[in-house]
Amino acid sequence: MSQRADTVRLSIGDAVTKVLRESDEIRIGQAQLDVTDAQVTQARAAGLPALTLRGNYTQVTRNARATIVGQIFGQNYNYTSTFALTQPVFQGGRIWAAARAAGDTRSASRSTLAETRSQLTLEAHQTYLTSVLARELVVIQERNAALADARLTQVVQLERAGRASRYDLLKARVDRANLEPALLQARSNLALGKKPLLMREVLTAMIKAHEIQGVIALENSFNRVGLDHVKRRVVDDAGGRCALHERLLFALEGEPDPWAERAAGVDRAQQR
């Protein structure tokens, strides 16, 4: 008996709706918003009139004096009720300040919830587009492999006909073999739902890792520790690579691009 697949097919709209409805982050944000709503209500209630009801109950035990004098002087049960209506007039601005602080807190909670919704929506779209990219990369790698197979077949026929050398045949076989790891990696990423390996991300992560390890110190540079270290630090560790990539983008945020300025004909040295 074959095992059923655990994949649920959803459109991007259904996926975003499901994330926003069932995400723990959304539930936490909504709970915080409810708390701030209660704080606003409590702060505003401090400035409203207050009606207080107080009750008192007493019971007199039966005694000889009450029996002799008469029941009118010895009631067994006494009830007393008092109503008090109060209205705060001036408290040094504490009521207004508390209401304003509660309102600001609620606004912040609403902004946080909106930001969480936007972030989850972005991540859902990013995941969807990443899966689409992974599928397209598999198609591209399969096409490359098919073209390499056709090229290899053609070179084999040319070599048999004496129109191609053994070097051409060896080169065609090596080119085809070099495509196999990329094809296997693309298929693995698609099956596991991993983010495709982007060269821009790899290069930025290498720059940041090189900066962290010793800026431009030769004893810590990559050409000294070797490619195995680079592969282990940047290529194999997807989480670390993404973190290094984001750190470099954050460090360069707001900085001018010197290459773009040079391409536009602006020389920073001449400006100085």
Side-chain angles (χ1 to χ4, degrees):
M1 181 177 179
S2 61
Q3 186 178 3
R4 295 179 59 185
D6 57 354
T7 301
V8 179
R9 296 186 179 274
L10 296 173
S11 64
I12 182 61
D14 294 337
V16 172
T17 302
K18 186 177 180 63
V19 168
L20 296 180
R21 184 177 63 249
E22 301 180 2
S23 174
D24 292 336
E25 291 84 353
I26 294 296
R27 295 176 180 176
I28 294 174
Q30 188 62 49
Q32 293 176 347
L33 181 58
D34 294 339
V35 171
T36 54
D37 286 337
Q39 291 176 350
V40 170
T41 303
Q42 183 179 6
R44 291 178 177 176
L48 298 177
L51 180 61
T52 306
L53 172 61
R54 297 179 181 177
N56 186 22
Y57 162 75
T58 58
Q59 179 180 0
V60 181
T61 58
R62 190 177 182 86
N63 54 70
R65 178 178 177 83
T67 303
I68 294 174
V69 176
Q71 295 298 329
I72 191 173
F73 297 101
Q75 297 294 333
N76 294 331
Y77 303 97
N78 292 320
Y79 299 93
T80 304
S81 299
T82 304
F83 288 92
L85 180 63
T86 59
Q87 171 62 55
V89 177
F90 178 74
Q91 293 187 3
R94 288 182 296 175
I95 297 177
W96 178 81
R100 181 178 179 182
D104 293 342
T105 304
R106 181 173 61 180
S107 299
S109 298
R110 288 177 177 174
S111 300
T112 302
L113 181 59
E115 181 182 2
T116 303
R117 291 180 183 274
S118 301
Q119 183 66 29
L120 292 177
T121 302
L122 175 62
E123 291 178 357
H125 282 84
Q126 184 178 7
T127 302
Y128 177 81
L129 295 177
T130 299
S131 63
V132 173
L133 176 60
R135 185 165 59 248
E136 292 298 326
L137 288 177
V138 171
V139 175
I140 292 174
Q141 295 298 337
E142 289 177 347
R143 290 177 181 175
N144 291 337
L147 292 176
D149 289 335
R151 173 61 181 169
L152 179 59
T153 302
Q154 182 182 15
V155 173
V156 169
Q157 294 175 354
L158 292 175
E159 193 270 338
R160 290 176 181 177
R163 300 177 58 183
S165 63
R166 294 287 298 174
Y167 171 78
D168 295 331
L169 178 60
L170 179 61
K171 183 177 183 300
R173 289 176 177 174
V174 171
D175 292 340
R176 175 60 182 87
N178 290 336
L179 293 177
E180 192 66 23
L183 177 59
L184 295 177
Q185 184 65 41
R187 290 174 176 174
S188 177
N189 291 340
L190 178 61
L192 299 178
K194 291 184 177 180
K195 183 179 180 181
L197 186 63
L198 303 178
M199 287 306 301
R200 179 175 183 270
E201 187 174 299
V202 172
L203 294 176
T204 54
M206 289 179 61
I207 294 173
K208 190 61 181 179
H210 179 66
E211 177 186 357
I212 294 174
Q213 285 191 209
V215 191
I216 56 175
L218 294 179
E219 61 271 14
N220 293 329
S221 61
F222 285 151
N223 60 348
R224 191 174 182 86
V225 297
L227 290 178
D228 291 337
H229 174 80
V230 178
K231 182 176 182 297
R232 183 174 61 255
R233 181 77 184 278
V234 177
V235 179
D236 295 338
D237 186 3
R241 180 178 67 252
C242 293
L244 291 172
H245 173 70
E246 295 296 333
R247 290 181 62 181
L248 182 61
L249 294 183
F250 178 78
L252 297 178
E253 184 178 359
E255 293 292 331
D257 187 355
W259 301 109
E261 294 180 352
R262 183 179 294 271
V266 179
D267 194 343
R268 297 177 64 88
Q270 295 179 358
Q271 292 180 354
R272 295 178 182 176

